[in-house]
Amino acid sequence: MYIDDIRDVENAATNDPKRRFASITGVVIEKEYYTSQLSPRFAAMKEAHFGLTRKSRPPILHRHDVMAKKGCFSCLEDPEREKAWNAHCLRLYRQADYRVITASVDKIGFYFKYPKWNDDIYFLLVKTLLERYFFLLQSEGATGDVLAEQRGKSDKRLKLKFRETLDNGTGFISAKDLNKHITSKEIKVKPESDDIAGLQLADLLAATSFSHCHKIYAKGRGPLGFSSEVADILETEKYHRDNRGNPNKYGRVWRP
């Protein structure tokens, strides 16, 4: 599972939406399929629209830079090229084989509901993702691990918390059961410069998935335009679901 966070995942909160809400999205991809099909297809898509860098590699996608049309993405200022890029993205999002789990929290509401809670918001979301990931793996008799993008000072704390969870379990899953399906007690942390397709896909989807969840659970505005088409794909096809096909609390989780 490749994970990416958005908004302010630190503990501090204000009524400013950028600091009140935090969200993390995990993209679950089967390893052999990822290596043989998705990663090469992702690289080819980037090269087709943006060419190669001076290192003879396709550029690394970051949603913020793509949306701002900065650097090599400035070609998207051309409406026809932007239309072609969006269409290619939608095909990939629809056709590729992956599952999405997004966990979000209204920090103000969470602190009101749990006034004595004193832990780490970021890892609260990571643990929420980890539990849903476990149940997905368990349902398919599979194993897997977790890879996150390098964030700096908080990486050491994340690794420690992750290891503690694998050693002790969660409130819903025993350590014994957790270790049957999560293959490593160490969360993998890689820099953006490593050009990992799974992390870039998570980055491209995370903001839209949060906006979609914000609309459903907290009457937010929701995604617009191209992003609304992406949200439709997530909602109808890609969120992890229960055995009745409902993504609520499985593929999209809202705290409190």
Side-chain angles (χ1 to χ4, degrees):
M1 177 169 65
Y2 302 87
I3 64 175
D4 186 77
D5 60 86
I6 65 162
R7 296 294 175 113
D8 186 345
V9 294
E10 299 302 321
N11 282 10
T14 71
N15 282 323
D16 179 344
K18 292 181 179 179
R19 300 204 67 194
R20 177 170 180 165
F21 300 102
S23 183
I24 186 168
T25 287
V27 176
V28 181
I29 313 170
E30 193 274 326
K31 184 177 180 180
E32 175 58 31
Y33 169 79
Y34 174 83
T35 302
S36 65
Q37 296 188 53
L38 182 60
S39 188
R41 182 178 178 185
F42 197 78
M45 181 178 78
K46 293 191 294 180
E47 182 177 352
H49 293 273
F50 307 118
L52 300 175
T53 67
R54 278 182 257 178
K55 296 182 179 180
S56 298
R57 296 166 58 183
I60 296 170
L61 293 181
H62 190 282
R63 184 178 184 273
H64 180 270
D65 292 337
V66 175
M67 297 290 289
K69 302 173 185 175
K70 293 170 56 178
C72 66
F73 308 119
S74 63
C75 63
L76 298 177
E77 295 282 3
D78 180 335
E80 290 303 314
R81 294 189 68 172
E82 182 179 33
K83 182 178 178 181
W85 165 248
N86 288 346
H88 203 157
C89 285
L90 290 175
R91 285 198 303 275
L92 177 73
Y93 296 159
R94 184 175 290 110
Q95 295 171 0
D97 188 6
Y98 61 94
R99 290 293 174 268
V100 172
I101 306 170
T102 292
S104 307
V105 60
D106 174 350
K107 291 186 280 185
I108 299 292
F110 186 83
Y111 294 148
F112 181 79
K113 185 172 182 179
Y114 303 102
K116 296 183 179 180
W117 185 84
N118 184 26
D119 207 333
D120 186 314
I121 280 289
Y122 180 53
F123 193 70
L124 169 75
L125 295 174
V126 172
K127 187 163 70 171
T128 300
L129 240 63
L130 187 61
E131 289 174 339
R132 273 63 181 182
Y133 181 44
F134 165 82
F135 289 121
L136 187 158
L137 293 171
Q138 184 185 55
S139 69
E140 298 185 357
T143 59
D145 57 9
V146 182
L147 193 154
E149 185 172 293
Q150 194 174 73
R151 301 176 69 248
K153 293 180 180 179
S154 62
D155 291 340
K156 184 176 180 180
R157 187 177 70 215
L158 172 63
K159 290 180 178 182
L160 177 63
K161 293 271 190 180
F162 191 90
R163 192 181 309 117
E164 287 177 353
T165 301
L166 269 292
D167 285 339
N168 302 317
T170 74
F172 301 98
I173 308 165
S174 70
K176 180 180 178 181
D177 286 341
L178 204 55
N179 283 276
K180 287 179 183 177
H181 294 279
I182 307 298
T183 56
S184 174
K185 290 186 178 181
E186 295 289 334
I187 185 170
K188 294 177 174 63
V189 177
K190 300 289 184 181
E192 180 183 287
S193 59
D194 277 9
D195 192 12
I196 297 169
L199 288 180
Q200 292 170 73
L201 181 59
D203 175 80
L204 291 175
L205 297 175
T208 296
S209 190
F210 164 74
S211 182
H212 178 62
C213 292
H214 188 203
K215 178 181 179 181
I216 291 172
Y217 297 104
K219 299 181 180 179
R221 184 178 66 171
L224 303 172
F226 168 72
S227 294
S228 69
E229 296 184 72
V230 178
D232 286 344
I233 293 171
L234 297 179
E235 181 65 26
T236 59
E237 302 179 41
K238 300 304 181 181
Y239 282 132
H240 173 45
R241 300 164 193 276
D242 65 15
N243 56 16
R244 296 182 178 181
N246 186 356
N248 182 44
K249 298 184 180 180
Y250 285 78
R252 43 176 170 79
V253 186
W254 188 270
R255 305 293 302 266

